[in-house]
Amino acid sequence: MKAKAGNRIFDGVNVVLLIICLLLCLAPFLHIVSISLSSNKPILSGFVTIFPIDLNWEAYSRVLKDAAMIRSLGLSVGLTVLFTVLCMLMTICAAYPLTKTELKGRKLFMYLIVFTMFFSGGIIPEYILVKQLHLVNTIWSLILPLLINPFYLIILITFFGGIPKSLEESAELDGSSHFGTLIRIILPLSMPAVATLSLFYAVNRWNGFMDSLFYITDPNLYPLQLKLYQMIMNSMMTDQMQAEGAQIVQILPESLKAASIVVATVPILVVYPWLQRYFVSGIMLGSVKG
């Protein structure tokens, strides 16, 4: 009974701590949502916290009616999907051969991969390379330099290496090729790792900003994050004009920025629950029959 009481107390403390952590994580996002839904007076007064005051949808209406914003949103969605597919294709094709101990030069390849995690040419040589390849102002400048993340590659190599070799040997006895084994056996058993790394790649590309700032100057090719940056800079100029006595605009820049941030965050929040079902353990239980 004492042990059961102790377990209940321990579980209760854990629940309380997790709820506190959840609230701390949600508070900044709720604050942004509240600002985007509040009217000008409460925002200027600083009364908006995690609940909107004087509900106002004008900021969202302004953002969603902006043709350039919608174009940037669609471009970012397509760019993220293409980037994630190509990155996972390259990562899988690199990880599977590197799990084979009989591969000649395997250790050298691993050393080179680890080397790139700690050393790089820097921003200027990378920009010069992208420019010489005529990739500036193309979506490929946002894809090709980041096709393989060495850390994610090592994670996938480790996961592939944990799959029982007996499964691959059985497939080889049945006449399966390496490619067939990868498609029919390795990948189905590796869906948790593949889904997790796909989410990591997608989030990194969706939130990517610096490379688009360097390589994209055509407004028609602005991804969403760069468009948000442009909007923030414009709003800062508006703030300066207001401080100098210009006519006050109908919607505060803070409200527009908050609405834009929410619009940019919602798509990736929609994707995460769909992939969360793969974050499970025990996927390989019963896969090897003795």
Side-chain angles (χ1 to χ4, degrees):
M1 294 297 295
K2 291 182 179 180
K4 292 182 179 179
N7 290 337
R8 286 196 293 269
I9 294 174
F10 180 76
D11 293 340
V13 171
N14 281 337
V15 170
V16 172
L17 292 176
L18 289 174
I19 292 175
I20 293 174
C21 292
L22 175 63
L23 294 177
L24 291 176
C25 293
L26 284 177
F29 183 71
L30 293 177
H31 179 65
I32 294 295
V33 174
S34 299
I35 291 178
S36 67
L37 292 174
S38 299
S39 59
N40 293 350
K41 186 176 180 180
I43 297 176
L44 288 172
S45 303
F47 293 151
V48 180
T49 54
I50 60 174
F51 298 104
I53 301 176
D54 295 338
L55 197 64
N56 186 357
W57 295 89
E58 187 63 27
Y60 286 98
S61 177
R62 181 76 64 84
V63 170
L64 295 177
K65 287 181 179 179
D66 187 351
M69 178 66 71
I70 300 301
R71 182 176 62 248
S72 297
L73 177 61
L75 177 63
S76 292
V77 171
L79 176 63
T80 302
V81 172
L82 179 62
F83 176 80
T84 304
V85 171
L86 293 179
C87 285
M88 286 309 305
L89 178 63
M90 296 296 294
T91 304
I92 290 171
C93 291
Y96 181 65
L98 290 174
T99 60
K100 306 299 182 183
T101 56
E102 64 272 15
L103 177 66
K104 294 183 179 180
R106 176 175 175 270
K107 290 185 178 180
L108 175 61
F109 294 144
M110 292 300 300
Y111 285 140
L112 293 176
I113 291 170
V114 174
F115 181 84
T116 61
M117 295 177 61
F118 301 100
F119 303 97
S120 65
I123 296 175
I124 295 178
E126 183 177 343
Y127 178 81
I128 294 174
L129 176 62
V130 171
K131 186 176 181 179
Q132 289 181 345
L133 293 175
H134 305 288
L135 297 178
V136 176
N137 275 331
T138 66
I139 62 170
W140 298 111
S141 63
L142 308 179
I143 295 176
L144 296 181
L146 304 172
L147 267 183
I148 295 183
N149 185 301
F151 181 67
Y152 299 162
L153 176 60
I154 292 175
I155 291 176
L156 196 59
I157 291 173
T158 304
F159 195 92
F160 283 173
I163 296 177
K165 298 298 181 182
S166 57
L167 293 175
E168 297 185 48
E169 293 172 357
S170 299
E172 291 177 2
L173 291 175
D174 291 336
S176 176
S177 62
H178 287 297
F179 184 77
T181 302
L182 174 64
I183 297 298
R184 297 184 180 91
I185 297 178
I186 303 300
L187 287 183
L189 295 176
S190 304
M191 285 309 298
V194 172
T196 302
L197 296 183
S198 298
L199 181 62
F200 289 165
Y201 274 123
V203 171
N204 289 341
R205 181 61 273 164
W206 183 265
N207 294 329
F209 164 72
M210 293 302 297
D211 54 351
S212 58
L213 182 62
F214 295 150
Y215 305 138
I216 303 298
T217 58
D218 185 359
N220 294 324
L221 295 177
Y222 280 178
L224 186 60
Q225 304 302 329
L226 187 57
K227 180 62 179 177
L228 291 177
Y229 171 77
Q230 184 188 44
M231 177 176 292
I232 291 173
M233 296 301 295
N234 291 339
S235 66
M236 292 174 62
M237 295 177 60
T238 303
D239 288 340
Q240 184 176 2
M241 292 176 59
Q242 292 177 8
E244 294 174 354
Q247 183 180 3
I248 298 178
V249 295
Q250 183 179 1
I251 302 178
L252 290 179
E254 287 77 8
S255 182
L256 283 174
K257 287 187 287 187
S260 302
I261 292 172
V262 173
V263 170
T265 306
V266 166
I268 205 67
L269 291 179
V270 172
V271 172
Y272 180 78
W274 183 78
L275 292 176
Q276 190 180 18
R277 64 193 182 98
Y278 292 106
F279 301 163
V280 294
S281 59
I283 188 67
M284 291 176 56
L285 293 179
S287 61
V288 180
K289 303 298 182 180

